[in-house]
Amino acid sequence: MEKPRQLSAIVVIDDNNAIGLNGDLLCHLPADLKHFKAITMGHSIVMGRNTLASFPKGPLPGRQNIVVSRNPNYAPEGVTVARSIDDAIAAATMPGEVFIIGGAQVYAATFHMIDTLHLTRIHHAFAEADAHFPTIDPTEWQEIDCETHEADDRNPHPYSFITLKRL
């Protein structure tokens, strides 16, 4: 398979690389939702079935929603369905980066192919979390941007927007 323009992952992780609990995000962080929208708008996004199911209004507008599913009967409206990770990446038609957006199995299956990580690091540990992002080896990545924010009346925990490039 020919390598796409650029394959990136965008994810919210806590201090223990946790990403979810019971099929949902760890907490409601409006600043991250705005950040996610700004970064992914106009691009192809690749996800698993459960990630799509977690969106309250269905597929995200302004993006090509690509869902990986081996179920031949799975065909939700408004998405491109791919039977494998390679097929999903090959199906990306929007310009620029192709974004891997979750869940844990999709992140794990694509991590070795990722060029750029767009992390929202929540500076808190959620002990009850049941889904995790792969371990990020600091010797393989270079931080190219970091913007740190304190908790406020809308965002319950301090957080940082961090961009890493693979070395």
Side-chain angles (χ1 to χ4, degrees), residues 84-164:
S84 70
I85 294 292
D86 287 345
D87 289 349
I89 294 166
T93 59
M94 296 193 88
E97 294 173 81
V98 176
F99 287 93
I100 306 301
I101 68 165
Q105 289 180 340
V106 176
Y107 286 131
T110 59
F111 191 69
H112 68 285
M113 299 185 286
I114 300 296
D115 301 305
T116 304
L117 291 174
H118 299 275
L119 305 176
T120 298
R121 168 79 70 183
I122 300 172
H123 302 290
H124 180 80
F126 294 85
E128 66 279 6
D130 60 9
H132 292 80
F133 194 73
T135 301
I136 300 167
D137 180 346
T139 66
E140 295 178 10
W141 298 90
Q142 177 182 6
E143 183 178 301
I144 60 168
D145 193 33
C146 182
E147 182 181 308
T148 300
H149 301 271
E150 295 301 320
D152 58 35
D153 58 335
R154 298 196 65 218
N155 299 283
H157 302 284
Y159 59 95
S160 297
F161 297 132
I162 304 167
T163 305
L164 303 174

